[in-house]
Amino acid sequence: MKVECIIKNNMENIKIPKPWSAQIEPTFGCCRKCHFCGIQSANLKIGEYKFMSLDLAKKIAIDLNVFLGKKRIEFALSGEPLANPNMTEIIKIFRDNYPKSQLQITTNGDLITKDLVENLFNNGLNMLLVDCYDKNSKSRIQTLLSGLNSDIRIYDFYKDNPKVWSYKGDKQKEIIYMDSIASNDEKDITRRLNNQAGFGKLKSNVVLPLKVSCSNVFRELVVKYDGSVYACCMSGWIPNPEMIVGKFPENSLKEIWEGDKFNSIRKILYNSERYKLNTCAKCDYKGYKNSLALYDFKNVFEIDKQPNTIIYKKSRSLFMD
């Protein structure tokens, strides 16, 4: 499907709120291939990785420091962050160049060692979220990490409600254990299995495309290991030009976040028109409506009634097949 976008309104007059957080991908590739994960579609073997360079990590940190200020930064996306041999150095780079950020690593825990965890926290990490994908991994990791420094607080995601997705500052040190989502599906609003925009192997039990809006594109900035910026964290398991909204550092992250293509995708999803995007048409993620309240695009864009077409003022194709 091709969506033709023709600019009608002055995009510079649209004030886009800053993202609530940013997801950075230090590693593309994983040491597992969970059936529900979009890694199933990636053309990578288990243990095959592509890494973000230290130079790119530094440029991202400097750019985000100017653009975002006090925000939550999560190292995750389409792979296992701790597989990156320079992960400790990346944390130090972000702490030095983006001092007020809250730095979080989300990991499956398979590659954790006590020394690695201590080094990560000593270099500026605030939160280590351990997503335990099998019943034995939690107890194994807890035993492995026994005797850590007393200033690192330990939480259970489901029992303690540690507010993982909120900005709490740049000083705290926390480890949060999160029991397998496969056995705790929908126990928490933020923990719901979905089909990863059709890239995972879970079969949807709903009729697609969904006729609902999606808030992902309004609340989070997503930067891949190579600097590609995707509209959503579930859309970059394979090269996916339809959902690439920019490339850093060719453009600043602020320019990309406020750019024409990103706004075009936001408009489509704001209006519950997922069928206009191949990726979103296959996705069963329902999103959260609270962040949509920040926007009122009704008088900003004008939508042509022709299928799959957004009409603005001058011809310009922003999407690719």
Side-chain angles (χ1 to χ4, degrees), residues 126-138:
N126 299 117
M127 186 182 297
L128 183 68
L129 181 62
V130 185
D131 211 339
C132 304
Y133 288 139
D134 58 67
K135 61 182 180 180
N136 296 321
S137 61
K138 183 177 181 180

Side-chain angles (χ1 to χ4, degrees), residues 7-60:
I7 309 290
K8 183 171 186 178
N9 292 349
N10 183 356
M11 300 297 286
E12 295 179 357
N13 293 333
I14 303 172
K15 183 173 177 59
I16 304 298
K18 292 180 181 180
W20 295 2
S21 62
Q23 276 209 63
I24 311 298
E25 182 181 80
T27 307
F28 179 44
C30 194
C31 48
R32 292 183 177 233
K33 266 204 171 182
C34 300
H35 72 283
F36 54 81
C37 182
I39 200 73
Q40 294 285 345
S41 295
N43 188 27
L44 294 172
K45 299 176 182 178
I46 294 176
E48 182 182 355
Y49 304 112
K50 298 179 181 180
F51 301 122
M52 177 175 286
S53 70
L54 294 178
D55 179 64
L56 180 58
K58 184 175 182 178
K59 290 177 180 177
I60 292 171

Side-chain angles (χ1 to χ4, degrees), residues 276-310:
K276 291 184 176 180
L277 297 165
N278 284 324
T279 305
C280 302
K282 296 180 290 186
C283 184
D284 65 0
Y285 175 74
K286 294 182 179 180
Y288 304 115
K289 293 186 178 180
N290 52 352
S291 55
L292 291 175
L294 297 172
Y295 298 83
D296 181 8
F297 285 155
K298 292 180 180 178
N299 298 316
V300 174
F301 296 90
E302 182 178 311
I303 301 297
D304 187 16
K305 298 304 180 182
Q306 300 175 45
N308 310 327
T309 305
I310 305 177

Side-chain angles (χ1 to χ4, degrees), residues 20-138:
W20 295 2
S21 62
Q23 276 209 63
I24 311 298
E25 182 181 80
T27 307
F28 179 44
C30 194
C31 48
R32 292 183 177 233
K33 266 204 171 182
C34 300
H35 72 283
F36 54 81
C37 182
I39 200 73
Q40 294 285 345
S41 295
N43 188 27
L44 294 172
K45 299 176 182 178
I46 294 176
E48 182 182 355
Y49 304 112
K50 298 179 181 180
F51 301 122
M52 177 175 286
S53 70
L54 294 178
D55 179 64
L56 180 58
K58 184 175 182 178
K59 290 177 180 177
I60 292 171
I62 292 171
D63 189 277
L64 288 177
N65 183 52
V66 175
F67 175 32
L68 293 187
K70 297 180 180 180
K71 294 288 184 178
R72 185 178 66 83
I73 307 301
E74 181 177 1
F75 297 95
L77 283 177
S78 310
E80 172 50 52
L82 298 186
N84 190 317
N86 295 317
M87 194 65 235
T88 300
E89 183 63 22
I90 289 174
I91 291 296
K92 187 178 187 304
I93 285 170
F94 268 77
R95 181 55 63 216
D96 291 344
N97 293 281
Y98 188 3
K100 293 300 181 181
S101 59
Q102 176 179 296
L103 302 179
Q104 170 187 329
I105 291 175
T106 299
T107 173
N108 61 33
D110 288 359
L111 304 179
I112 279 179
T113 67
K114 187 174 181 179
D115 287 344
L116 175 59
V117 171
E118 288 181 337
N119 286 335
L120 288 167
F121 280 110
N122 288 338
N123 280 280
L125 184 67
N126 299 117
M127 186 182 297
L128 183 68
L129 181 62
V130 185
D131 211 339
C132 304
Y133 288 139
D134 58 67
K135 61 182 180 180
N136 296 321
S137 61
K138 183 177 181 180

Side-chain angles (χ1 to χ4, degrees), residues 217-235:
V217 294
F218 296 91
R219 66 170 186 259
E220 186 174 64
L221 180 65
V222 172
V223 187
K224 295 276 288 179
Y225 76 97
D226 61 353
S228 299
V229 179
Y230 276 74
C232 143
C233 62
M234 290 179 279
S235 61

